[in-house]
Amino acid sequence: MSNTLDESGNSRVNVVLGGLGFIGSNVIKHLVKAKEKCIIVDNEVLGHDSNLGNVLGSPLLNVMKLDATNQLTWTKIRESCKDANLRIWHLAANSDISLGAQTLLPDVKNTLETTVMLVENMVNLPISEVVFASSSAVYGVKNGEVGFKETQHCFPISYYGVSKLTSEQLLEIACERLKIPLWNFRFANIVGTPSTHGVIFDFVTNLISSSDKLMVRGNGNQCKTYLHVDDLIRLMDYLLQEKFTGTWNIGPGDRGITVSEIASMTISHLSPLTSIQYEVSEEGWPGDVPLARLNCTKMNAVIPFMVKGSKDAVHQAIHEVSSQFGLKFICNSV
Ligand SMILES: NC(=O)c1ccc[n+]([C@@H]2O[C@H](COP(=O)([O-])OP(=O)(O)OC[C@H]3O[C@@H](n4cnc5c(N)ncnc54)[C@H](O)[C@@H]3O)[C@@H](O)[C@H]2O)c1
C-alpha cells in the first residue's frame, strides 16, 4: 500500500462503509484515482465487489465483506488501520424502499444501527473526519414544493427518513464531543451507474421482464430533483477540500422532473411501443414524499462550477443504466 498523506502530513486511510454500493463504488474509484488508501466495509446486502470494476485489484484497497453493525468488524478496522488518520465515509444504509415501507427492521439495522456502531466505536479509533450520506427524506413533506432548506425543522414521514435524521443527530453529538469535523450531506436522488436501485433501475429492469406494459408506482406526478453521481463526487470533493463542514443539501437546485417524464423518457429509449400504467395514489409507496425539491442556495453560493440539471442527469443515467444491463437504446436527442 502506498502512503497517502493528509494536509498535516499524516498517513490517511478512508474507511468507506457501504463502499460496494452504487455511490460507494464511485467514491472508491475516485479515491483510488487520487491514490488514497481505502478500507471498504460492506456486507453485500445490495452492493457487490463487481461494482468496483478494474479498481478491485488495487493495492490501495482492503475490502472487508463484513457487517458494520457487528462489533467484530470494528475490531478488525482498528487492527488494520493502526496509527493512520481515518476519514470515515458512512454510506451504508437500507436502500430497499419497498421493503422499508413494509417493515422498519431493515432501516433500523442498516441505516440507524450502522451509525450507532460507528458512534460507539469513534472514541477508540483515530478518526480525523466523518462524512455522512444523509437524504432529503429527513425533511418530510413541508416545503417540498418550494424546496427544503437546511435551516427548516425536519419531520420525516418514513422509517428511512427518521433513521437518517437520528443518525445525523447522533453523529453531531459524537463529533462535537470528540472535536471531529463532520459533513452531513443531504442528497437529492442520485442517478448513474452501477445502479443498484431507484426509479431508473426499476423501469429498466421492469422493461427487461415485460415490454407490454410499464407499471408505475403512484400517479406519476411525483416530482423530485436528480443529481448525476459524477457531479455528486465533484461536489463532495470540493466541500471536503475546502473544509466546509456542516449540513448541506446536495442537488441540482432546480425544479426537478416528474416520474411520468422519466417513464416516458425510459420507454422512448428502450421500448417505444410499451404502454405506461399508473396507480391513483399520489405516493409511490407508504412514506414516499411526492414533491421533494431541495433548495441548494447554500451549496451554490460556494461552489465554483455548474452541475447538470435533473433532466440531463436522468437522461444520461438512462443511457448508462441501459448499457449496464447490456441493452441497446434509441436516442433521438441531439
Ligand atoms: N442513491 C440515492 O439516490 C441516495 C439519496 C439519498 C441518500 N443516499 C444515501 O447514500 C448512501 C449510498 O446509497 P447508494 O444509492 O449507493 O445505496 P446502495 O444500497 O447501493 O449502497 C449501500 C451499501 O451499503 C451496504 N450495506 C447496507 N447495510 C450494511 C451493513 N449493515 N453493513 C455493511 N454494509 C451495509 C450495501 O450492501 C450497499 O452496498 C446510503 O446511505 C443512502 O441512504 C442515497
Side-chain angles (χ1 to χ4, degrees):
M1 272 193 178
S2 77
N3 264 328
T4 319
L5 301 183
D6 66 12
E7 296 77 6
S8 331
N10 298 317
S11 160
R12 174 166 64 206
V13 175
N14 296 270
V15 176
V16 186
L17 310 177
L20 298 181
F22 162 45
I23 297 171
S25 60
N26 279 283
V27 167
I28 293 290
K29 285 172 197 163
H30 172 75
L31 292 171
V32 168
K33 204 168 161 198
K35 305 217 176 328
E36 296 247 0
K37 287 198 275 187
C38 305
I39 295 174
I40 295 176
V41 178
D42 198 303
N43 64 356
E44 292 193 299
V45 71
L46 205 60
H48 196 267
D49 61 11
S50 60
N51 287 339
L52 295 176
N54 55 15
V55 161
L56 182 58
S58 167
L60 293 166
L61 285 189
N62 176 359
V63 183
M64 296 185 179
K65 294 185 179 179
L66 298 172
D67 197 308
T69 64
N70 188 330
Q71 182 51 45
L72 265 180
T73 303
W74 292 94
T75 308
K76 289 211 164 113
I77 296 172
R78 197 165 67 234
E79 283 166 5
S80 52
C81 68
K82 304 205 169 58
D83 297 327
N85 260 335
L86 302 188
R87 177 188 275 169
I88 306 279
W89 298 75
H90 179 8
L91 309 174
N94 168 46
S95 301
D96 189 337
I97 303 282
S98 30
L99 188 64
Q102 294 157 32
T103 157
L104 80 165
L105 297 181
D107 282 312
V108 168
K109 181 171 163 60
N110 293 328
T111 311
L112 181 57
E113 211 180 313
T114 47
T115 312
V116 170
M117 291 306 287
L118 164 61
V119 169
E120 187 65 9
N121 280 279
M122 274 170 77
V123 75
N124 296 319
L125 289 166
I127 298 176
S128 58
E129 292 172 335
V130 175
V131 182
F132 178 54
S134 191
S135 158
S136 61
V138 298
Y139 291 111
V141 290
K142 193 175 171 204
N143 292 335
E145 187 170 0
V146 288
F148 306 119
K149 270 194 182 161
E150 289 92 342
T151 46
Q152 77 176 67
H153 285 296
C154 295
F155 299 103
I157 60 162
S158 62
Y159 302 132
Y160 172 77
V162 169
S163 303
K164 283 290 184 193
L165 184 60
T166 310
S167 293
E168 282 190 13
Q169 292 166 336
L170 292 173
L171 287 168
E172 271 162 16
I173 294 170
C175 288
E176 173 63 33
R177 285 186 186 169
L178 298 169
K179 302 283 168 258
I180 297 172
L182 168 67
W183 284 259
N184 259 328
F185 291 134
R186 293 176 176 166
F187 299 162
N189 288 272
I190 310 300
V191 291
T193 46
S195 183
T196 56
H197 62 98
V199 64
I200 300 173
F201 177 91
D202 286 350
F203 288 168
V204 171
T205 50
N206 288 356
L207 286 173
I208 292 172
S209 13
S210 159
S211 60
D212 297 343
K213 201 171 266 182
L214 180 68
M215 310 289 281
V216 174
R217 302 179 67 173
N219 63 10
N221 296 330
Q222 305 100 302
C223 190
K224 308 185 184 195
T225 48
Y226 293 82
L227 181 74
H228 194 274
V229 68
D230 293 347
D231 282 329
L232 170 73
I233 302 286
R234 282 171 78 207
L235 288 166
M236 291 197 293
D237 198 39
Y238 184 78
L239 294 171
L240 281 163
Q241 265 184 32
E242 295 297 318
K243 304 272 176 230
F244 289 149
T245 55
T247 299
W248 296 87
N249 285 344
I250 303 287
D254 62 10
R255 302 276 302 157
I257 173 171
T258 63
V259 168
S260 63
E261 285 174 277
I262 300 174
S264 305
M265 224 196 274
T266 311
I267 280 181
S268 76
H269 277 76
L270 289 174
S271 181
L273 298 178
T274 299
S275 61
I276 307 177
Q277 184 164 329
Y278 296 100
E279 297 173 336
V280 283
S281 57
E282 283 179 16
E283 302 85 16
W285 54 88
D288 183 23
V289 179
L291 289 181
R293 297 186 176 109
L294 270 185
N295 179 315
C296 294
T297 312
K298 180 179 171 188
M299 179 196 90
N300 285 333
V302 300
I303 56 161
F305 51 85
M306 305 275 285
V307 298
K308 277 196 181 65
S310 294
K311 195 170 178 182
D312 288 342
V314 165
H315 190 181
Q316 183 179 336
I318 289 172
H319 288 201
E320 293 167 343
V321 178
S322 302
S323 302
Q324 179 183 338
F325 287 98
L327 303 175
K328 287 213 167 73
F329 57 84
I330 317 149
C331 182
N332 297 320
S333 9
V334 277

